[in-house]
């Protein structure tokens, strides 16, 4: 029983679960960002529809401005971010998931190689204990050859897989370095450009003419 390997693989399975959760979050984020931008545009459309033919010029201009800014965010600013997210965030994360999947597949192969190795070790021991050595000598040599082959396959796989597990367990964060930078870039672009757009409306809404018109029209309700 290889206790060290079993502990490493147990730790890896926890890393794999975290990676699966991360992959789902990565996919959900860009979908949520798209839904938010689209909801903003839809809201602006509905507001404009309510103001049609029933608003003063000052207020109507603000509503039209809100509609333009919302659609600019949804239709112009946000869509190019999809490619950045897909290429530089989703693809590396999904590649990491494929890497982890191959580790789990190798672990299954390792089990089979270990079973074969144990089988031939047991068979060799049985043949060695056989009192009729002259009759089992050929079978013993054949078994020794198969044992050596099975051992080479098992120990080679065990060494390679152990190295892969150490990297996955100890450097899991480093695998996300480049996607991390793109995550920051996409969020900065969306929020920074979005802020510039919405700030135009905020500034316009604080204009004295707008404020005065809102107060005047409230008296007529």
């Amino acid at each position: 029983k290889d206790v060290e390997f079993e502990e490493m693989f147990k730790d890896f399975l926890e890393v794999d679960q975290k990676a699966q959760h991360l992959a789902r979050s990565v996919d959900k984020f860009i979908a949520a960002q798209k839904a938010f931008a689209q909801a903003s545009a839809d809201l602006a459309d509905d507001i404009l529809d309510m103001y049609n033919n029933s608003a003063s010029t000052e207020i109507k201009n603000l509503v039209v401005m809100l509609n333009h800014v919302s659609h600019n965010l949804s239709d112009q600013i946000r869509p190019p971010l999809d490619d950045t997210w897909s290429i530089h965030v989703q693809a590396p994360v999904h590649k990491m998931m494929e890497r982890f999947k191959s580790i789990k597949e190798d672990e299954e192969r390792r089990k089979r190689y270990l079973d074969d190795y144990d089988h031939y070790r047991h068979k060799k021991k049985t043949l060695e204990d056989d009192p009729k050595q002259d009759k089992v000598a050929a079978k013993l040599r054949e078994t020794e050859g198969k044992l050596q082959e099975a051992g080479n396959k098992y120990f080679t796989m065990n060494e390679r897989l152990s190295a892969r597990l150490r990297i996955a367990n100890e450097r899991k964060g480093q695998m996300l370095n480049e996607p991390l930078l793109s995550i920051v870039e996409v969020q900065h672009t969306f929020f920074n450009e979005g802020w510039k757009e919405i700030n135009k409306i905020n500034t316009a809404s604080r204009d004295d003419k707008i404020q005065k018109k809102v107060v005047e029209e409230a008296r007529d309700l």
Side-chain angles (χ1 to χ4, degrees):
K1 186 176 181 179
D2 191 336
V3 177
E4 181 182 4
F5 178 89
E6 290 181 0
E7 284 297 319
M8 280 196 297
F9 190 71
K10 179 182 177 182
D11 291 342
F12 165 74
L13 290 178
E14 293 181 5
V15 173
D16 182 57
Q17 285 295 315
K18 292 177 181 178
Q20 291 182 41
H21 194 278
L22 171 65
R24 290 193 294 270
S25 294
V26 161
D27 292 342
K28 284 168 60 179
F29 174 85
I30 200 66
Q33 188 186 77
K34 181 178 181 179
F36 170 77
Q38 185 59 55
S40 296
D42 292 343
L43 174 61
D45 285 342
D46 291 338
I47 292 173
L48 180 60
D49 192 42
M50 288 292 288
Y51 272 94
N52 271 338
N53 303 319
S54 64
S56 61
T57 301
E58 295 88 342
I59 301 297
K60 181 66 174 292
N61 287 343
L62 183 66
V63 173
V64 170
M65 188 178 183
L66 173 64
N67 190 269
H68 171 75
V69 164
S70 298
H71 277 277
N72 189 41
L73 179 64
S74 178
D75 304 336
Q76 302 298 323
I77 295 173
R78 198 210 61 77
L81 300 178
D82 282 347
D83 287 340
T84 301
W85 195 265
S86 175
I87 295 170
H88 298 292
V89 179
Q90 286 174 309
V93 169
H94 292 164
K95 183 178 179 180
M96 180 176 68
M97 295 306 302
E98 287 299 314
R99 178 176 181 166
F100 288 177
K101 179 182 177 183
S102 73
I103 287 177
K104 288 183 285 187
E105 290 171 347
D106 272 356
E107 196 273 336
E108 289 297 322
R109 277 189 283 272
R110 177 187 176 276
K111 285 180 182 177
R112 294 195 296 272
Y113 293 168
L114 179 58
D115 287 343
D116 288 345
Y117 180 58
D118 286 342
H119 168 73
Y120 287 115
R121 281 200 304 171
H122 176 73
K123 187 173 183 179
K124 178 175 178 288
K125 180 67 167 57
T126 300
L127 290 171
E128 287 175 336
D129 292 342
D130 194 311
K132 300 176 181 179
Q133 284 295 305
D134 55 329
K135 292 184 178 181
V136 299
K139 194 68 174 177
L140 179 58
R141 286 194 297 273
E142 179 186 353
T143 300
E144 288 173 338
K146 290 182 178 180
L147 174 61
Q148 183 175 2
E149 180 182 353
N152 289 339
K153 289 175 69 175
Y154 166 69
F155 287 112
T156 299
M157 171 61 79
N158 192 65
E159 183 178 356
R160 184 182 75 179
L161 185 53
S162 295
R164 297 183 73 191
L165 288 172
R166 289 189 189 95
I167 292 173
N169 292 343
E170 297 171 9
R171 302 181 185 177
K172 54 186 179 295
Q174 292 167 252
M175 296 180 190
L176 296 175
N177 283 349
E178 292 183 10
L180 172 64
L181 298 182
S182 295
I183 288 170
V184 173
E185 177 189 349
V186 166
Q187 295 201 57
H188 174 266
T189 299
F190 182 76
F191 290 114
N192 189 54
E193 295 301 319
W195 178 85
K196 289 179 182 177
E197 293 292 303
I198 202 67
N199 193 49
K200 297 175 186 177
I201 311 170
N202 185 56
T203 300
S205 70
R206 294 176 182 278
D207 185 89
D208 289 342
K209 292 180 181 179
I210 295 291
Q211 296 290 327
K212 183 178 180 181
K213 201 64 181 176
V214 169
V215 173
E216 289 176 357
E217 293 186 356
R219 295 195 189 105
D220 297 333
L221 296 178

